[in-house]
Amino acid sequence: MVWTSCLHRTSADLGDKQGAIADYNLALKINSNYALAYIVRGLARAETGDNQGGIADLQKAAELFRQQGNTQSYQKALELIRKYQQ
């Protein structure tokens, strides 16, 4: 996945998950159709204990990927949703 490599370059990977959430909140204010931002924010939210918020972000990302015709990323988002719903 192209976007998977982006996940390794976020504040979250440097241990600042709250900073990553704040960064992606800003990114989503600028562009609410930025599916990758929902993915990264969702992962950070889930990893900080906000599982419901994380799943909601992942669902939004999946919806956007589907609307954009990005089947591969849509499927990956669905996999992440299933992982965090367990």
Side-chain angles (χ1 to χ4, degrees):
M1 297 252 92
V2 173
W3 56 264
T4 310
S5 64
C6 296
L7 301 178
H8 301 291
R9 297 186 180 103
T10 67
S11 300
D13 288 325
L14 300 175
D16 184 12
K17 292 186 182 12
Q18 292 300 329
I21 292 167
D23 290 346
Y24 285 99
N25 285 341
L26 180 58
L28 290 165
K29 283 183 183 178
I30 294 168
N31 180 0
S32 63
N33 291 317
Y34 186 19
L36 178 58
Y38 282 104
I39 290 284
V40 180
R41 186 178 75 173
L43 294 174
R45 289 172 80 177
E47 291 174 12
T48 59
D50 182 8
N51 210 44
Q52 294 279 18
I55 290 170
D57 279 351
L58 295 171
Q59 289 171 330
K60 179 64 176 180
E63 176 187 333
L64 289 169
F65 284 134
R66 184 185 54 76
Q67 289 172 357
Q68 296 164 0
N70 187 338
T71 305
Q72 188 175 15
S73 293
Y74 171 71
Q75 293 297 325
K76 181 63 177 173
L78 292 179
E79 289 173 24
L80 290 169
I81 292 166
R82 284 190 291 272
K83 174 183 173 183
Y84 285 100
Q85 285 178 331
Q86 295 178 2

